[in-house]
Amino acid sequence: MTREGDAVTAFERAVAAMTARRERRESTVIGDLPDAVTGVVLVEGASDRAALHAAADLLGVDPAAEGVAILPMGGAMSVRRFVDALAPSGVRLHGLCDEGEADFFRRAGLSVDAISVCRPDLEGELLIALGDARAEAVLARRGDLGLFRTFQRQPAQRAREVTAQLHRFFGTTSGRKELYGRLLTAELAAHELPVPVREALTALLGDPSARARLG
């Protein structure tokens, strides 16, 4: 990692820590913006950030080394705050969001081409890409399959499809969505990545497969 890449990573982690503490000061965002940052992917939360970093590994790209920071905002309603703080610096902006939150990103001033939309959300995209059996295999390796089986037996879950049960399970404990955002994404092959996840990276980094052909 170069010094510039280290600066991008440090900035990204500082913003992630800020949003985890529920701070919303614009000056905290823009005041710490290093010159090395040339692009920013704005995501709703930590699980999205974890998934994009895992996807970058699969694609063989290093966002920080190329000046791209992935910033969790602590929720879609904060997107205008981030856009207003970052846009004047001239950095390229791209958003990744759930289908139900896309209007927040559009109203913040991001064009349709600058927004990658997960339908219905990131976990849904990952579960569709993996399938139930592979997702359960990830749970098993992590030691959480027994917990999931107990969860399935709850009265509110018994009549639901396994995919819906998995989707709900990932959101039941603090930190679980972030953990499995990374683990489920890492389980995929590069060509299996959901379109919005791949698009959120390649929009600012370019298509790594195209670069490989040219190289």
Side-chain angles (χ1 to χ4, degrees):
M1 180 77 73
T2 64
R3 186 185 315 178
E4 291 79 8
D6 288 339
V8 175
T9 298
F11 170 67
E12 182 181 311
R13 289 174 177 167
V15 173
M18 177 198 75
T19 56
R21 294 193 300 268
R22 304 298 181 186
E23 296 176 11
R24 295 292 185 272
R25 294 193 300 275
E26 291 181 14
S27 59
T28 305
V29 177
I30 198 167
D32 294 336
L33 183 66
D35 292 338
V37 177
T38 60
V40 170
V41 182
L42 296 171
V43 299
E44 295 184 48
S47 61
D48 308 280
R49 174 176 175 250
L52 285 186
H53 277 295
D57 288 341
L58 291 175
L59 293 173
V61 297
D62 185 343
E66 299 197 35
V68 174
I70 301 168
L71 302 186
M73 302 179 295
M77 288 185 290
S78 295
V79 64
R80 181 180 294 278
R81 221 180 265 270
F82 275 74
V83 170
D84 289 348
L86 294 167
S89 68
V91 298
R92 297 169 299 157
L93 298 176
H94 193 89
L96 175 71
C97 65
D98 298 343
E99 185 174 25
E101 314 295 353
D103 281 345
F104 289 112
F105 284 68
R106 288 190 285 266
R107 288 198 294 267
L110 295 179
S111 68
V112 172
D113 291 341
I115 308 170
S116 299
V117 181
C118 295
R119 294 180 172 85
D121 54 22
L122 174 67
E123 291 74 29
E125 292 273 7
L126 293 175
L127 288 170
I128 290 169
L130 275 173
D132 297 339
R134 289 170 71 189
E136 288 191 358
V138 176
L139 286 170
R141 287 198 298 274
R142 183 66 190 178
D144 285 339
L145 188 58
L147 288 174
F148 178 60
R149 295 291 184 239
T150 299
F151 176 79
Q152 288 180 297
R153 291 194 290 271
Q154 293 180 2
Q157 300 301 323
R158 289 174 188 165
R160 305 182 77 189
E161 298 290 334
V162 174
T163 302
Q165 293 172 337
L166 285 164
H167 191 282
R168 182 69 187 94
F169 179 75
F170 293 134
T172 54
T173 300
S174 177
R176 186 177 283 163
K177 285 180 69 173
E178 180 178 1
L179 172 64
Y180 280 99
R182 175 175 58 82
L183 294 179
L184 295 179
T185 304
E187 187 72 8
L188 296 167
H191 71 273
E192 295 177 306
L193 285 171
V195 170
V197 173
R198 174 185 286 270
E199 184 182 82
L201 290 170
T202 59
L204 298 183
L205 294 169
D207 187 342
S209 59
R211 285 188 293 180
R213 290 194 297 270
L214 291 173

